[in-house]
Amino acid sequence: MKSSNQKYINQIPKRILISTLTFTFGFIFLILIPTVSSHLTAPTKLSSAQITGAYINGAIIVAVSLIWLAFNTYYVQKQIKPFERKTLLLIMMWTPLAGVIVNFILIRQEKRNSNNHSKTNTSKEPMPVQILLVILTIVVVLVIWIVYITMGNRQHSVYDPQTGKTIQVDNTIPGIFDIFLSPIKGFIDSAEIIVYLLIMGAFLQVVNTSKALEAGIGKLVKKLRGKELIIIPIFMLLFSIGGATFGMCEETIPFYAIVMPIVLAAGFDGITGVIIILFGAGLGVCASIVNPFMIMTAVDAVNKQGFLPTPLSTGDGIVFRVIIYFVFLAIGITFTMLYANKVRKNPKKSYVYDLRNVHSQTFKFDHSVVPEFTLKRKVTLIIFTLCFVLLIIGAIPWSDITGWNGFNWLDNWLTTNFPFIATGVGAIGSWYLASFALLFLVGTIIMATLNWTNVNDFYKNIVIGAKEFLSISFVIAVARGLSLILTDSGLAEMIANGASHALSINSILGVVILFLAFVLISIFIPSTSGFAYTIYGPLAAPAMFNASIPYSISGGIASSSMANGLVNLASPTAGPFVIGCAMAKVPLKYFYKSAWKLLAILLGTAIVLLIIGTLLPQSIVGK
């Protein structure tokens, strides 16, 4: 087992890279201050106090990064020969970035040697999204400082809902402490969506504790004996509904223990099991019909920017997302069934044929493990399903689509005649985060009461379920804080204006470029909620709105959802994908060999659907 010092040494290359880059930036920043400020004229000319403050900020960056760099270098010197040590110090003194490369080579070589001796292969976990967003926040603040030094303080546009006009306000330049303050502001500003997700976590925990889902799938398996090929569309349909409604992702992990034995017993291979679970839920996430992590978060992020005359609703573009859902699901099911049938006829065509003994020993189906499908679990499953049905019904703007105002009349009638029931829920079709939170809170209480043991267990389930979604809440808070910095500093408007010119060239080309950009960014920000708050809300949506060719903001949300969802099906930065393959005992290289065609087909289909979406009316794609 590695010592704590060795673990630290293995992390040094990343630390040196960050410290070197910040040192280099701070050094350049100090050089730029007198050069740029001398060329500025009124009203952008900087005062002496502002120049002094810029010098202090730059000096702090240089000092902290230099200390960090020296501290890491001290550890590196212990691992290399005297001659190499002297060379390293000279290189790092004159060219810091080259010193980083030398460190990478030396330390990586030692890690390879130690791995060869120990013959252990430890999997490397992806860096948490929260940390990536914090690093991105620091980079954004540094960029804002450069813009401030080179261009002076400017103004940005803000939509005033009271007057209905766009007004100009001064940019807010973030300081060092604003970096730490931004996630706090993000928590406060995103309280509604975070409360909703915490209640959703409690809701799912109560369902998981009741074992209703496992029992339902176990009952389904018994009925489908002898008809094994049918389990593919049925399972993928069930998982996709979870992905499209509540963003089922990490929740699929326990199902590998249930689905893998069934798939192997049916004569299929381990890759088939991974595709059924991973793509089943993932294709639902790509469509995200009412997925709170993408749709509700993106809608909330767009509305907080305030540039739309009328706010978006979660029902905007829902018809287009339903179309995406059925198209993607049909492609996924067809591909999986063809592959599974081919492997069953000729097992040697499986990419994991050599691992068949490992899989058969690891995954043995035991009916005694599957919980009994009791009446309580049946009712629990019905309530669970009903909550998501009501969620979809409540999100669709029925009066806008059909012109029928029956739900509005019913809400007014209930509020007038029975005010003691509810006065703030709102009409079906106009529900938003607070109403959705209420829906799942009531569902949680009903299911917990149905499966009641004692008050302590009830409380524990609520707390444990909410705790599972705390990490997502941190993502949203940090992402929202970064979004506030982007917006208040005027950098978001600057980037959006530049991007809007590129999007104005051609509507079809612009949609494709935007989608491919979403795909690339999603590799670094795999979190759907983090992506929605960081990229789509403050940057992409305003760019689409400002383009001379009209773009559908809701269609853009569908574009970002497809891009982010597809990346999460195959990116090493996506935790559920890596964990799923590890649980199924399927090496990543074999998964890529078998699934790359499906991924390519889905990628091409997404582009075609987006192009078609530019030709569809607003009632389908959304405003």
Side-chain angles (χ1 to χ4, degrees):
M1 187 175 180
K2 294 181 180 179
S3 64
S4 58
N5 286 339
Q6 185 61 41
K7 288 182 179 179
Y8 183 85
I9 290 169
N10 291 338
Q11 297 174 358
I12 284 178
K14 286 183 182 178
R15 300 173 187 269
I16 290 183
L17 177 61
I18 296 172
S19 58
T20 302
L21 291 176
T22 53
F23 168 78
T24 305
F25 173 85
F27 188 70
I28 296 173
F29 184 80
L30 287 173
I31 295 175
L32 280 176
I33 292 173
T35 306
V36 175
S37 61
S38 62
H39 290 83
L40 293 176
T41 57
T44 59
K45 188 175 180 61
L46 302 179
S47 65
S48 57
Q50 289 172 326
I51 295 175
T52 302
Y55 269 119
I56 293 173
N57 284 335
I60 291 174
I61 295 172
V62 171
V64 172
S65 58
L66 199 57
I67 292 171
W68 196 16
L69 190 62
F71 185 67
N72 287 296
T73 304
Y74 169 76
Y75 274 91
V76 172
Q77 291 179 27
K78 291 184 175 182
Q79 307 300 313
I80 59 179
K81 298 176 183 178
F83 175 76
E84 293 172 335
R85 184 182 307 163
K86 183 178 179 182
T87 305
L88 174 64
L89 290 174
L90 289 173
I91 292 175
M92 292 194 69
M93 185 181 297
W94 297 105
T95 53
L97 199 55
V100 174
I101 299 173
V102 173
N103 277 300
F104 265 89
I105 295 172
L106 292 174
I107 299 177
R108 294 293 181 185
Q109 182 62 43
E110 179 160 349
K111 286 179 68 178
R112 280 195 291 269
N113 294 337
S114 62
N115 285 337
N116 290 335
H117 288 299
S118 61
K119 297 191 183 222
T120 57
N121 185 17
T122 56
S123 59
K124 184 180 177 183
E125 294 183 0
M127 182 181 292
V129 177
Q130 295 91 328
I131 302 301
L132 289 173
L133 290 173
V134 170
I135 294 173
L136 184 58
T137 302
I138 296 172
V139 172
V140 167
V141 169
L142 295 177
V143 171
I144 292 171
W145 288 357
I146 291 178
V147 173
Y148 177 67
I149 291 297
T150 55
M151 300 180 64
N153 199 5
R154 302 281 177 170
Q155 291 185 325
H156 65 276
S157 303
V158 173
Y159 179 78
D160 186 0
Q162 295 182 348
T163 62
K165 297 180 180 179
T166 300
I167 59 175
Q168 297 292 317
V169 298
D170 292 333
N171 294 339
T172 302
I173 308 303
I176 294 176
F177 285 103
D178 290 306
I179 297 174
F180 302 101
L181 185 62
S182 63
I184 298 174
K185 288 184 176 179
F187 257 113
I188 297 171
D189 202 61
S190 306
E192 196 172 10
I193 182 70
I194 289 175
V195 168
Y196 169 73
L197 292 178
L198 294 179
I199 292 175
M200 172 70 81
F203 175 84
L204 294 176
Q205 176 63 23
V206 170
V207 175
N208 291 334
T209 304
S210 70
K211 303 293 183 182
L213 285 175
E214 290 90 334
I217 289 180
K219 183 69 173 178
L220 182 64
V221 169
K222 291 180 180 179
K223 288 187 176 182
L224 293 176
R225 284 181 184 172
K227 304 175 183 177
E228 285 80 6
L229 201 62
I230 301 178
I231 67 175
I232 294 176
I234 292 177
F235 279 178
M236 292 188 75
L237 175 64
L238 293 175
F239 287 127
S240 67
I241 291 173
T245 53
F246 66 93
M248 189 177 194
C249 191
E250 288 87 351
E251 294 81 6
T252 60
I253 293 173
F255 288 99
Y256 282 92
I258 298 175
V259 174
M260 287 296 293
I262 301 168
V263 169
L264 295 174
F268 309 138
D269 65 349
I271 291 175
T272 304
V274 174
I275 293 178
I276 287 174
I277 300 174
L278 181 67
F279 278 77
L283 295 178
V285 173
C286 286
S288 288
I289 298 175
V290 287
N291 175 14
F293 302 105
M294 174 55 74
I295 303 304
M296 296 184 188
T297 307
V299 169
D300 188 57
V302 171
N303 288 338
K304 286 185 184 302
Q305 300 305 311
F307 62 87
L308 291 178
T310 56
L312 283 179
S313 73
T314 52
D316 279 315
I318 196 170
V319 177
F320 187 48
R321 297 196 295 272
V322 169
I323 294 173
I324 294 171
Y325 170 76
F326 283 111
V327 171
F328 269 36
L329 186 61
I331 293 173
I333 290 175
T334 302
F335 179 91
T336 309
M337 292 183 72
L338 290 174
Y339 174 80
N341 196 42
K342 178 183 70 173
V343 169
R344 187 169 64 169
K345 289 181 178 179
N346 186 357
K348 291 185 178 181
K349 291 188 176 181
S350 169
Y351 288 99
V352 290
Y353 177 74
D354 294 337
L355 298 174
R356 62 192 185 281
N357 292 331
V358 176
H359 288 164
S360 61
Q361 292 175 5
T362 305
F363 302 104
K364 294 180 180 179
F365 186 69
D366 185 1
H367 288 285
S368 63
V369 176
V370 179
E372 184 183 355
F373 200 33
T374 61
L375 178 61
K376 280 186 179 181
R377 288 178 175 137
K378 290 178 182 178
V379 176
T380 301
L381 204 55
I382 291 172
I383 296 171
F384 174 81
T385 305
L386 184 61
C387 285
F388 285 103
V389 171
L390 290 175
L391 171 67
I392 296 173
I393 295 174
I396 299 175
W398 298 102
S399 58
D400 295 339
I401 295 175
T402 65
W404 182 66
N405 293 313
F407 288 128
N408 293 326
W409 175 85
L410 178 62
D411 178 63
N412 291 330
W413 183 78
L414 287 173
T415 302
T416 303
N417 296 282
F418 300 96
F420 50 84
I421 296 178
T423 57
V425 179
I428 294 175
S430 65
W431 287 0
Y432 196 49
L433 293 172
S435 301
F436 295 143
L438 172 65
L439 171 65
F440 286 103
L441 179 61
V442 173
T444 301
I445 293 173
I446 294 174
M447 290 189 299
T449 304
L450 182 65
N451 297 276
W452 187 266
T453 52
N454 55 65
V455 68
N456 290 331
D457 289 342
F458 170 74
Y459 177 74
K460 286 179 181 178
N461 285 333
I462 299 297
V463 173
I464 291 172
K467 180 182 176 182
E468 291 296 321
F469 278 63
L470 271 179
S471 62
I472 302 296
S473 300
F474 283 127
V475 171
I476 291 176
V478 178
R480 180 56 188 160
L482 174 55
S483 174
L484 290 172
I485 289 177
L486 283 167
T487 303
D488 295 342
S489 66
L491 184 62
E493 183 179 77
M494 185 182 301
I495 297 173
N497 288 337
S500 65
H501 294 303
L503 293 175
S504 300
I505 298 173
N506 181 278
S507 59
I508 294 178
L509 183 61
V511 165
V512 173
I513 292 174
L514 197 65
F515 172 73
L516 295 177
F518 286 160
V519 169
L520 181 62
I521 296 171
S522 295
I523 296 174
F524 302 98
I525 308 179
S527 167
T528 51
S529 51
F531 182 91
Y533 254 133
T534 306
I535 304 300
Y536 190 77
L539 300 178
M544 297 171 69
F545 182 77
N546 294 332
S548 59
I549 298 176
Y551 284 86
S552 166
I553 304 299
S554 298
I557 293 177
S559 174
S560 61
S561 178
M562 283 192 287
N564 195 263
L566 287 174
V567 168
N568 280 326
L569 291 176
S571 173
T573 59
F577 160 66
V578 177
I579 294 172
C581 287
M583 290 193 66
K585 307 295 182 184
V586 173
L588 295 184
K589 63 178 180 179
Y590 294 135
F591 172 83
Y592 288 133
K593 286 182 179 180
S594 60
W596 74 267
K597 292 181 181 178
L598 177 56
L599 289 167
I601 292 171
L602 291 171
L603 185 66
T605 302
I607 294 174
V608 171
L609 286 172
L610 291 173
I611 293 173
I612 294 174
T614 61
L615 308 174
L616 295 176
Q618 180 177 319
S619 59
I620 295 177
V621 185
K623 65 185 178 183

